[in-house]
Amino acid sequence: MSQSTRTVELPSSFPVVIVGGGIAGVSCLQQLALSCPDKEVIVVSASQLVTVSTNVKFLTKTLTQFDVEERKMEWLKTVHPKVKVIHARVTSFDPASSCINLSSGEAIQYSRLCICTGAHPKGLPGVVGADNNPNVVGVRDAATANELRRRVAFARCVLIAGNGGIASEVAYGLHGVHVIWAVRESYINAAFVDPGAATYLEGSLKKRADCKDESERKTENSNKESSDEYLPSWKIKRFNITKENTVGEGDVLGTALGPEWQTHFPLHGAAEESSLKMEYGCEISKVLTPEEVSKENIPITDLFSGDQNKEIKWPVYVMLTNGKCVGCDLVVAATGVVPNSSSFINVLNGPKSCPSDGNGIMVDLRMRTTTEGVFAAGDVCTAAWPNRSKHWIQMRLWTQARLMGLYAGRCIAASLSREELAKEKGIITNARGAQSPTQANVKEVSSENDSIEDCRTVEIRWKEDSYDVNIEDDESMYDFCFELFSHVTKFFGRRTILLGLFNGQGLNNEYEALVRVSEGEYVKVILGRDGRLAGAVLIGETDLEETFENLILSGNDVSSFGENLLHPGVDIEDYFD
Ligand code: FAD
């Protein structure tokens, strides 16, 4: 999608329409309020609550931290002077007439459309007995989190399936309940960390799971925080990762929840004590009813005592791929998300396209879909431009939803202003009989635009009754939001910062990892074979994010530092000033 030929013929008098009131949609509106406050905007959302990012703090150039709040949809009117809000679901979409159809029966025409419909939990696809099973739940939005909270309150044992951020949050948040956590990999939280960091974090998880009540947990947390203040005794380890030594480690439509969601939906179970049992290297192969287990005479494993018996005492049973059949009150499926693209995808991606994640709406570097005037941002989209910055990867996270939303707003504003300008210069409208634009016109069109257009080669070719704009992107124009992957979060109560190719993604298992571990910190850097820093994982209050961000972005060869790169006594930034 780097070079595209697009027909520019849109009814610019129609409003900009944003579908979705999650972080991506609201951020897009906020940007439009700044960039084109006079343009009418309509926000259509299936949920009456919208998600807003607040208290945004810039920790480094690329790293932002913010809170997420839910507000009533009407609040959007305070954001943009010309916004109209509609509570409805988009059921279908017809780009030929620039029109979307709503569940209310209404049809709306747009000049630009921005699809920000998010994603929903994947569930347990292909698992026999899981579909529509009332004992299998997912968590995505306030409604599902509330349902989870309600169900956990009556549960003595919960089984979690999945190994990403949400599974980790649920495992850490549950207490007063026995927890079985089934993970496909040989370590926890594999979507974000490597086995070393996972082992480091597992300590915090187990300590918490073993705490009997809230007061004990608070004491445990405060002890941990105060111990972090002391200078750690640290150790640096060096790992040479090659293909050979990488052991098959495997590497209702509400708005999605934000960080700290468990403050509002605490997960207290009905057991007298808490415990956690990990089952590594396995997945769920079947979900069974008590009747099925009894009929098939399946032996049941009690993971907590190690016994096997045939006593039926749970409302739901799970057959794991390691052959164990275990019983529980509730199964939490936290196996990832699927973009909410069904109302749009067939028209937009076309039959031939195949994004890596199945059904994300493919967008180019300007958040444009394959259809003129239609943009997408946030969890619903798949970054499909070639030659992406080598240190940026897409992950469906609120940080990326926010940036993509803001950026889509800028791109929409730029495309509207380009059209306005072109009209003024008389180079849009029906081309029949009109002169083709001069090179001067073309330059003016691109230079008067927002800075995102600066480095673009724009060529306009005339056709019979319209014209094509041929836009050639070059690498220098990447916006900073897609330059470096950066994310700050908390795993198992520990502040975690991820930068660049933090897990060696895309390096084909050919890199070196340097790790420094102390009681209060875990610091890992990834060094490519070219001696340049490619990524970092920082757990604890390391204060190293800016240094490593600079080193990754500058592309300096740091191989000569060897292990000193992580030596607490060496101020690495000084060398590059
Ligand atoms: P959403 O917030 O999902 O919003 C989609 C919007 O579209 C909603 O308003 C919905 O009503 C609307 N919609 C959908 N379909 C239609 C339709 N057909 N018509 C009209 N409207 C429609 N990310 C992090 O970075 N850190 C975390 O700690 C973190 N924790 C998470 C914990 C949980 C439990 C979950 C579920 C997610 C978590 N995430 C986290 C991920 C993060 O919440 C999402 O990546 C982000 O919120 C996506 O924002 P979005 O605007 O793209 O989509």
Side-chain angles (χ1 to χ4, degrees):
M1 291 179 87
S2 68
Q3 188 165 319
S4 47
T5 301
R6 291 154 184 275
T7 303
V8 181
E9 193 85 80
L10 285 164
S12 57
S13 56
F14 293 136
V16 172
V17 176
I18 300 171
V19 187
I23 288 205
V26 172
S27 303
C28 179
L29 180 72
Q30 287 172 322
Q31 184 60 49
L32 289 172
L34 290 175
S35 304
C36 46
D38 295 331
K39 182 75 190 166
E40 276 179 56
V41 184
I42 296 178
V43 177
V44 181
S45 184
S47 60
Q48 265 172 324
L49 293 176
V50 297
T51 312
V52 189
S53 52
T54 56
N55 302 325
V56 182
K57 283 185 208 128
F58 292 88
L59 304 181
T60 66
K61 248 182 292 192
T62 66
L63 200 58
T64 44
Q65 186 178 323
F66 54 88
D67 300 329
V68 172
E69 283 176 25
E70 285 195 327
R71 304 224 170 124
K72 293 221 170 92
M73 219 183 166
E74 294 301 307
W75 172 84
L76 295 178
K77 292 184 178 162
T78 65
V79 173
H80 194 296
K82 290 202 163 175
V83 72
K84 183 178 168 199
V85 293
I86 299 178
H87 177 219
R89 198 162 56 83
V90 173
T91 51
S92 62
F93 145 72
D94 176 17
S97 54
S98 306
C99 183
I100 53 168
N101 299 306
L102 309 187
S103 48
S104 58
E106 230 181 314
I108 302 178
Q109 282 196 288
Y110 58 81
S111 59
R112 300 290 184 277
L113 176 68
C114 190
I115 303 166
C116 304
T117 46
H120 61 273
K122 205 185 264 177
L124 296 172
V127 173
V128 177
D131 264 5
N132 301 320
N133 188 320
N135 295 312
V136 178
V137 296
V139 55
R140 177 70 192 167
D141 48 26
T144 50
N146 200 30
E147 176 63 7
L148 177 64
R149 186 194 57 80
R150 199 185 63 75
R151 297 287 302 271
V152 165
F154 298 100
R156 295 151 298 154
C157 181
V158 172
L159 185 140
I160 305 169
N163 201 10
I166 296 172
S168 303
E169 284 185 342
V170 173
Y172 187 65
L174 282 168
H175 63 97
V177 67
H178 299 288
V179 180
I180 302 167
W181 188 3
V183 304
R184 189 172 47 194
E185 292 77 10
S186 54
Y187 60 97
I188 55 167
N189 204 6
F192 290 96
V193 296
D194 66 356
T199 310
Y200 181 79
L201 288 168
E202 210 171 302
S204 307
L205 173 66
K206 287 206 165 134
K207 256 190 223 165
R208 176 163 170 128
D210 291 342
C211 289
K212 289 194 177 52
D213 62 29
E214 194 65 22
S215 59
E216 199 176 329
R217 192 161 68 232
K218 276 185 185 137
T219 318
E220 184 259 334
N221 276 342
S222 65
N223 286 344
K224 189 182 67 195
E225 273 150 30
S226 58
S227 71
D228 288 351
E229 285 166 21
Y230 298 106
L231 187 68
S233 63
W234 48 271
K235 244 195 264 172
I236 297 179
K237 281 193 187 164
R238 199 170 183 140
F239 299 92
N240 213 3
I241 313 290
T242 62
K243 280 188 186 95
E244 290 71 41
N245 70 6
T246 308
V247 211
E249 56 169 48
D251 276 86
V252 181
L253 301 167
T255 57
L257 293 161
E260 319 256 335
W261 58 277
Q262 291 187 19
T263 321
H264 309 290
F265 305 101
L267 302 176
H268 297 249
E272 276 171 15
E273 51 184 42
S274 313
S275 59
L276 171 70
K277 199 80 203 161
M278 300 298 309
E279 279 296 290
Y280 292 106
C282 69
E283 291 176 75
I284 295 184
S285 67
K286 226 177 189 181
V287 179
L288 299 146
T289 61
E291 296 72 35
E292 285 168 325
V293 175
S294 173
K295 197 171 150 203
E296 293 174 36
N297 207 17
I298 301 170
I300 301 150
T301 305
D302 181 335
L303 290 173
F304 298 94
S305 67
D307 294 346
Q308 268 210 347
N309 57 60
K310 295 208 170 156
E311 193 193 342
I312 300 289
K313 57 176 186 178
W314 298 103
V316 62
Y317 288 85
V318 164
M319 180 62 82
L320 299 172
T321 48
N322 60 12
K324 292 177 189 167
C325 178
V326 296
C328 59
D329 289 303
L330 195 63
V331 177
V332 180
T335 49
V337 295
V338 180
N340 294 325
S341 58
S342 57
S343 311
F344 310 93
I345 192 134
N346 292 339
V347 181
L348 291 177
N349 281 7
K352 282 198 198 135
S353 63
C354 184
S356 50
D357 56 2
N359 61 346
I361 296 174
M362 296 196 300
V363 291
D364 71 1
L365 194 51
R366 299 285 164 261
M367 302 281 102
R368 297 172 298 199
T369 66
T370 51
T371 299
E372 183 63 33
V374 181
F375 298 71
D379 279 10
V380 75
C381 77
T382 295
W385 59 90
N387 310 322
R388 286 193 300 213
S389 164
K390 60 182 178 183
H391 297 125
W392 187 82
I393 46 173
Q394 182 181 11
M395 288 188 89
R396 291 190 162 86
L397 296 166
W398 47 262
T399 29
Q400 292 199 354
R402 177 176 168 273
L403 280 177
M404 284 181 171
L406 289 171
Y407 192 56
R410 278 178 65 193
C411 295
I412 290 170
S415 83
L416 287 168
S417 75
R418 181 168 56 172
E419 194 173 298
E420 281 304 304
L421 190 78
K423 260 188 185 165
E424 268 173 36
K425 300 285 168 197
I427 58 167
I428 202 162
T429 65
N430 190 324
R432 207 186 295 269
Q435 278 189 341
S436 72
T438 63
Q439 198 53 36
N441 283 132
V442 175
K443 276 210 179 110
E444 224 165 334
V445 171
S446 55
S447 67
E448 289 252 348
N449 264 312
D450 186 299
S451 61
I452 64 161
E453 303 286 335
D454 285 349
C455 322
R456 209 192 279 200
T457 311
V458 181
E459 182 201 323
I460 299 185
R461 270 190 259 109
W462 291 89
K463 273 189 176 173
E464 268 213 334
D465 55 359
S466 67
Y467 68 85
D468 284 350
V469 178
N470 187 20
I471 301 160
E472 204 177 296
D473 292 334
D474 82 55
E475 207 168 317
S476 59
M477 60 188 264
Y478 282 120
D479 193 81
F480 216 69
C481 45
F482 305 121
E483 185 73 13
L484 177 72
F485 175 88
S486 56
H487 186 57
V488 54
T489 186
K490 266 190 183 173
F491 288 133
F492 312 117
R494 312 301 308 264
R495 178 186 165 89
T496 305
I497 289 177
L498 306 170
L499 294 174
L501 309 176
F502 57 90
N503 239 346
Q505 298 94 330
L507 294 179
N508 215 8
N509 291 327
E510 291 287 338
Y511 58 88
E512 195 176 18
L514 282 180
V515 180
R516 182 177 97 198
V517 192
S518 66
E519 205 195 322
E521 293 177 349
Y522 176 95
V523 179
K524 179 180 89 169
V525 293
I526 300 286
L527 285 167
R529 285 278 174 248
D530 56 3
R532 288 166 170 81
L533 208 64
V537 177
L538 311 171
I539 303 175
E541 299 296 330
T542 65
D543 212 16
L544 287 168
E545 50 273 21
E546 192 145 27
T547 305
F548 290 142
E549 178 187 90
N550 285 340
L551 285 180
I552 297 172
L553 289 173
S554 68
N556 286 321
D557 185 341
V558 292
S559 52
S560 59
F561 286 91
E563 291 179 6
N564 279 340
L565 197 59
L566 294 191
H567 194 295
V570 176
D571 189 351
I572 212 81
E573 195 116 43
D574 273 1
Y575 289 87
F576 298 102
D577 280 345

